[in-house]
Amino acid sequence: MNNAFVPLEFASDEDLLALYARGDPRAAKQLTLRLAPAVLRLASNLMPDKADAEDITQEAFLRLWKIAPNWERGQAKVSTWLWKVTANLCTDWHRKKKNASLDEIDEPADGRPTNEARLMDHDRAKALKRELLNLPIRQRTAVAMRHLEGFSNPEIAVAMGLSVEAVESLTARGMKTLRRNLIGEKAELGWDQ
């Protein structure tokens, strides 16, 4: 960090990581407060339940803290590195889970809304999440990062280790599949109004 008097909330992600590597736990707290919500949102969009998403988020940050002393400035953005690790952890989780028996898979939580509008929103989100989880993991990751988290295609390409064209293709195929799979529920979910 160039100026030791810059408040932590204004420090760059790289500066905070460097401060943490030198033993400043306040820097880790600030970096966590800044980046954890987006990491958790990404994991939540890729995982079947919140507990698994929280575990993935925690593991991604543990890996960040572990590599902090060896971080090379200018090689990658801290946030982009975290998105990539999060996406990879989710992919690994799904690969392992694919071999699990149906008895080992938790039942989905029952979230009963209190009024008709909330019920409709819940049903829409549930249908979208269900179909998102049916996409191949790379399509799911690209679609979630682009359309649910608002990342640009170049940011996604870096995070996934792909070309921008490959990200565009994955996103387009994923969205086409989502539309096709949800078309039968369009009226029921209120998307035709």
Side-chain angles (χ1 to χ4, degrees), residues 57-162:
T57 301
Q58 183 176 9
E59 179 62 26
F61 274 91
L62 287 173
R63 291 183 183 196
L64 179 65
W65 306 140
K66 187 175 181 178
I67 62 98
N70 301 318
W71 185 264
E72 293 184 31
R73 286 184 172 273
Q75 293 298 313
K77 289 173 59 176
V78 175
S79 58
T80 302
W81 185 91
L82 268 171
W83 313 149
K84 183 173 187 167
V85 168
T86 301
N88 288 342
L89 287 168
C90 291
T91 299
D92 292 345
W93 185 93
H94 284 283
R95 283 184 185 141
K96 288 176 190 170
K97 204 66 168 174
K98 212 178 217 182
N99 297 326
S101 74
L102 288 176
D103 294 334
E104 296 173 6
I105 300 172
D106 294 332
E107 289 293 321
D110 184 16
R112 295 183 185 179
T114 58
N115 62 43
E116 187 177 336
R118 287 184 58 205
L119 179 60
M120 186 66 73
D121 287 343
H122 174 75
D123 289 346
R124 287 176 183 159
K126 190 173 169 183
L128 180 60
K129 175 97 175 196
R130 179 192 71 232
E131 292 305 326
L132 192 61
L133 288 171
N134 285 328
L135 291 176
I137 188 64
R138 288 171 26 127
Q139 286 181 19
R140 180 182 330 148
T141 302
V143 168
M145 290 181 81
R146 181 74 182 112
H147 294 286
L148 300 176
E149 295 303 317
F151 291 103
S152 69
N153 287 341
E155 289 172 320
I156 299 167
V158 170
M160 293 182 71
L162 300 170

